[in-house]
Amino acid sequence: MAELLPPLSLYIHTPWCVRKCPYCDFNSHEPSTEELPEAAYLTALLNDLDGDLSLADEREIQTIFIGGGTPSLLSPAFYDQLFKEIRLRLPFSSTIEITLEANPGTTEQQRFIGYREAGINRLSLGVQSFRPEQLSALGRIHSGQEAVNAVRQAREAGFDNLNIDLMHGLPKQTPAQAMEDINQALDLGPEHLSWYQLTLEPNTAFFSQPPVLPEEEALWDIQEAGHQRLEQAGLRRYEISAYARVEQQSRHNINYWQFGDYLGIGAGAHGKLTTVDSQGQRHIERRWKTRQPEAYLRRSNDLRGFVAGKQPIATQELPLEFSMNALRLIDGVSMDVWTAYTGQPPAVLLARLHSAYEKGLLMEMPEKLRASPQGLLFLNELLTLISDE
């Protein structure tokens, strides 16, 4: 059945951080002990994976992404053993991309060398800003110089595929300061740059006590100038908030946006999996794991397993679910991908797109699902139209 299924990725979540940032709504927790329970978490991750193995359906793992939290809090030896054990359970693609998120405040030269030797071949550094006042406002534990040093150390360790996470629209940030951050990042020569606006998410400290953010006009100026500067530097925008050099896009994230499958293991990890029944019908399901680290570790010896919830995606929901992902890609997604990954004929999706196309929010129908420049600016309105059809 593997040939009837989308490509498969693996997401691994690390739930611990040195300190919870006030803007962060991810599943991250300050550790309750000085030393992280690496051995126990390794066992739990593998038991978690064992419970999901049948969903892989003999497919190769194309990409792995280790997110958090702060995955770089865990040792290279942890990841070396983890990958060895995963390889015993699942085949890896010969061109597998393995990404580790790292905080510049939790890394040093030897850890980078160890991560590279363990098989990690892509780093994503959570820089966010290089300016001390912005880093302080964001609750980051590193300095701008430490971020610069982390990039240098990663290069010396052999990493030639590196992403820098950078935010804009920060508290009291001016357009000139935002451009200084971009220029500093470009001076470091990253292959990939994730550049996104700070948003105030529910259940965060910033949501409860909002900081002073730039006015709407300043935000527009930042976005326009930033897009232009990144494109001039040879980083092409391929997703709403992602820029990359040629052939250096995040393959893991592209699999998300193209509605591929992914296993999710670790505390609070999410997955999206497709199965095919004996009649050849596809069934697509989202599932998520127990969130709290202590509870997750206890589940390792619990017959209930690690799954906290499941949600099948009904056929009538597929057009919106697919569009929410595909429309993030600047070049869109071929209708052939829709059919191959959902098992549904193009007409099912096209019927939902008519009014959005008429309003000028979509381009290139019926060959592609692709937002127009106007549609990218008003993506929520575009998705509402698809939802309401």
Side-chain angles (χ1 to χ4, degrees):
M1 290 293 183
E3 68 276 6
L4 300 176
L5 298 173
L8 182 66
S9 293
L10 172 63
Y11 175 73
I12 303 170
H13 192 76
T14 304
W16 296 288
C17 274
V18 173
R19 184 171 65 200
K20 182 81 170 181
C21 296
Y23 61 86
C24 177
D25 68 336
F26 296 128
N27 185 38
S28 61
H29 307 265
E30 295 180 16
S32 55
T33 58
E34 188 171 333
E35 288 192 14
L36 295 180
E38 288 198 356
Y41 200 61
L42 176 63
T43 297
L45 285 173
L46 296 172
N47 289 342
D48 188 355
L49 180 60
D50 286 341
D52 285 354
L53 279 182
S54 64
L55 299 168
D57 211 347
E58 300 181 355
R59 284 175 286 178
E60 288 186 338
I61 299 295
Q62 302 297 320
T63 66
I64 297 175
F65 194 99
I66 308 152
T70 305
S72 53
L73 288 176
L74 295 172
S75 69
F78 171 89
Y79 290 112
D80 182 62
Q81 187 61 35
L82 177 62
F83 297 143
K84 286 177 179 175
E85 292 291 339
I86 294 174
R87 283 181 181 274
L88 295 176
R89 293 160 168 81
L90 290 168
F92 282 18
S93 165
S94 61
T95 59
I96 192 167
E97 170 195 273
I98 304 179
T99 302
L100 176 82
E101 286 187 333
N103 186 328
T106 63
T107 54
E108 41 82 24
Q109 184 69 47
Q110 286 305 119
R111 289 180 84 86
F112 281 132
I113 293 172
Y115 293 144
R116 191 72 187 88
E117 291 176 346
I120 293 163
N121 54 23
R122 185 175 183 271
L123 277 182
S124 180
L125 290 173
V127 173
Q128 314 312 353
S129 177
F130 294 93
R131 299 179 60 86
E133 65 271 31
Q134 303 295 349
L135 290 168
S136 176
L138 293 173
R140 305 297 289 173
I141 65 171
H142 67 271
S143 67
Q145 186 57 51
E146 284 175 321
V148 173
N149 292 343
V151 173
R152 175 181 56 79
Q153 291 165 349
R155 294 301 195 195
E156 291 176 354
F159 284 98
D160 57 5
N161 193 354
L162 188 145
N163 169 62
I164 290 178
D165 265 357
L166 205 62
M167 300 174 73
H168 63 89
L170 305 180
K172 299 181 181 179
Q173 186 182 50
T174 66
Q177 290 171 343
M179 292 305 297
E180 286 178 16
D181 271 345
I182 286 181
N183 287 327
Q184 177 71 76
L186 290 174
D187 285 345
L188 298 173
E191 285 72 34
H192 189 287
L193 198 143
S194 298
W195 187 61
Y196 49 94
Q197 183 179 322
L198 171 65
T199 56
L200 306 185
E201 301 290 349
N203 302 314
T204 65
F206 271 1
F207 191 81
S208 302
Q209 295 181 300
V212 177
L213 299 180
E215 298 290 338
E216 196 70 30
E217 184 175 345
L219 290 174
W220 279 107
D221 290 344
I222 289 171
Q223 290 180 21
E224 287 299 311
H227 292 327
Q228 184 176 0
R229 179 70 185 95
L230 291 168
E231 296 274 355
Q232 287 174 346
L235 289 166
R236 180 179 177 273
R237 188 185 187 197
Y238 72 95
E239 188 263 342
I240 285 180
S241 58
Y243 299 75
R245 302 195 186 280
V246 176
E247 302 298 326
Q248 298 288 345
Q249 297 92 341
S250 168
R251 289 168 47 208
H252 186 87
N253 285 344
I254 286 177
N255 191 45
Y256 285 161
W257 309 141
Q258 290 186 335
F259 213 54
D261 278 359
Y262 50 99
L263 296 164
I265 61 173
H270 284 238
K272 176 250 170 186
L273 284 309
T274 305
T275 56
V276 180
D277 63 26
S278 58
Q279 283 75 46
Q281 296 297 311
R282 286 177 177 83
H283 303 275
I284 303 173
E285 178 184 82
R286 297 196 184 277
R287 51 170 50 202
W288 52 96
K289 306 298 175 60
T290 301
R291 284 177 57 86
Q292 293 294 327
E294 293 80 7
Y296 180 83
L297 289 172
R298 288 196 298 270
R299 287 293 186 100
S300 197
N301 298 309
D302 192 323
L303 293 177
R304 293 174 297 172
F306 297 88
V307 178
K310 303 177 183 180
Q311 180 63 55
I313 303 176
T315 301
Q316 63 269 24
E317 297 169 346
L318 280 174
L320 179 60
E321 288 274 347
F322 184 84
S323 300
M324 287 172 63
N325 292 278
L327 289 171
R328 294 184 63 92
L329 291 169
I330 304 304
D331 289 339
V333 172
S334 165
M335 286 293 177
D336 292 339
V337 172
W338 157 264
T339 300
Y341 289 11
T342 68
Q344 300 294 316
V348 173
L349 179 58
L350 290 170
R352 293 286 193 99
L353 305 179
H354 182 73
S355 61
Y357 180 68
E358 291 293 313
K359 290 178 181 290
L361 300 178
L362 289 176
M363 299 176 63
E364 299 188 33
M365 288 174 62
E367 292 82 9
K368 269 189 174 184
L369 174 61
R370 181 188 179 199
S372 67
Q374 187 78 355
L376 289 171
L377 290 174
F378 299 100
L379 189 56
N380 287 339
E381 178 184 343
L382 172 52
L383 292 172
T384 298
L385 289 171
I386 294 172
S387 176
D388 289 343
E389 281 294 319

